[in-house]
Amino acid sequence: MVGCSGSGPGPTSPASSYLVEHDGFRVLLDLGNGAFGTLQALADPATVDALYLSHLHADHCLDVAPFIVWHRYSGRSRRRPVPLYAPAGADRRLAAAYYGDGAPLEDVFDFAVLTGAPFDLGPFQVQTVRTAHPVECHAVRLTAGGRSLVYTGDTGASTAVVELARSADVLLAEAAHPDVPGLPPDLHLTGREAGEHAAAAGVGRLLLTHVPAWVDRTAQLASARAVFATAELVEPGATYDV
Ligand SMILES: [Zn+2]
């Protein structure tokens, strides 16, 4: 767990970023605000084999900018482009975020557009589905060694995400919305909804993430556990076996 604070960095965690490893291959799921700093405490950035950006909201992608600086100027990168999977337009968007003229980033990243088609990434088989979110966002299922991890990215209630997570060993689910009336649809899950998605999919383990700093974490956990008794809140810096 490089960063698990929802909607932006919080006082004790960067925004969304998760380092997934199997057989020595490392893929970084999202790289939100502040995450590149913490990443360096957990792993040498040169050992990141690929990046996956669920979507292009700032709290999921903006620390690509310091990654670019590190890659170009630290003298420690592998000196070859890192595969970067993201929704269409990520190349222009990230270039503009890095520098005003939007100069190309092909020396840093080998851009691949998420289309919904499955693909292989190192030892992982990768499946994605569009989530219920105001911008194009893709939940992802990584399978390797007979085990599966599903990460929701950002999503409102979604049967597509439930199907993607069917019988997964671990579901890393966002739980950003408090359980209050009048929530906008197709934006985020409540703790209860995260639990309902985990139960409907029949996953082995539910890890809750993306709780904003201004939302009561213990309340999110309690509402998830009302429908999925073993739900857990992730902790920044922690490691979980899938
Ligand atoms: Zn978002």
Side-chain angles (χ1 to χ4, degrees), residues 55 57 59-60 133-135 137 154 187-188 210:
H55 64 305
H57 274 157
D59 59 314
H60 291 257
H133 204 55
V135 300
C137 180
D154 281 3
L187 183 58
H188 289 300
H210 201 284

Side-chain angles (χ1 to χ4, degrees), residues 63-117:
D63 261 27
V64 162
F67 187 96
I68 294 164
V69 176
W70 174 89
H71 191 278
R72 283 181 172 164
Y73 303 115
S74 71
R76 298 184 174 200
S77 75
R78 295 181 191 172
R79 296 266 167 212
R80 60 175 184 267
V82 179
L84 187 154
Y85 295 81
D91 51 352
R92 296 185 307 277
R93 171 72 186 280
L94 297 173
Y98 175 69
Y99 197 75
D101 66 3
L105 302 174
E106 275 77 12
D107 59 313
V108 181
F109 297 121
D110 182 10
F111 286 96
V113 175
L114 296 171
T115 64

Side-chain angles (χ1 to χ4, degrees), residues 27-189:
V27 55
L28 196 56
L29 305 180
D30 289 339
L31 193 50
N33 322 64
F36 187 71
T38 300
L39 173 67
Q40 294 167 83
L42 301 172
D44 180 349
T47 66
V48 173
D49 295 292
L51 272 70
Y52 177 96
L53 301 181
S54 63
H55 64 305
L56 299 176
H57 274 157
D59 59 314
H60 291 257
C61 72
L62 275 192
D63 261 27
V64 162
F67 187 96
I68 294 164
V69 176
W70 174 89
H71 191 278
R72 283 181 172 164
Y73 303 115
S74 71
R76 298 184 174 200
S77 75
R78 295 181 191 172
R79 296 266 167 212
R80 60 175 184 267
V82 179
L84 187 154
Y85 295 81
D91 51 352
R92 296 185 307 277
R93 171 72 186 280
L94 297 173
Y98 175 69
Y99 197 75
D101 66 3
L105 302 174
E106 275 77 12
D107 59 313
V108 181
F109 297 121
D110 182 10
F111 286 96
V113 175
L114 296 171
T115 64
F119 58 95
D120 291 333
L121 180 58
F124 297 106
Q125 298 168 280
V126 184
Q127 297 170 264
T128 66
V129 294
R130 286 283 296 274
T131 72
H133 204 55
V135 300
E136 180 181 341
C137 180
H138 297 255
V140 62
R141 180 176 182 129
L142 297 171
T143 302
R147 309 287 287 179
S148 289
L149 165 71
V150 173
Y151 166 51
T152 61
D154 281 3
T155 190
S158 167
T159 55
V161 172
V162 170
E163 287 311 312
L164 183 73
R166 180 73 59 198
S167 302
D169 296 285
V170 174
L171 174 61
L172 177 62
E174 73 120 295
H177 271 160
D179 261 314
V180 296
L183 294 168
D186 301 331
L187 183 58
H188 289 300
L189 296 174

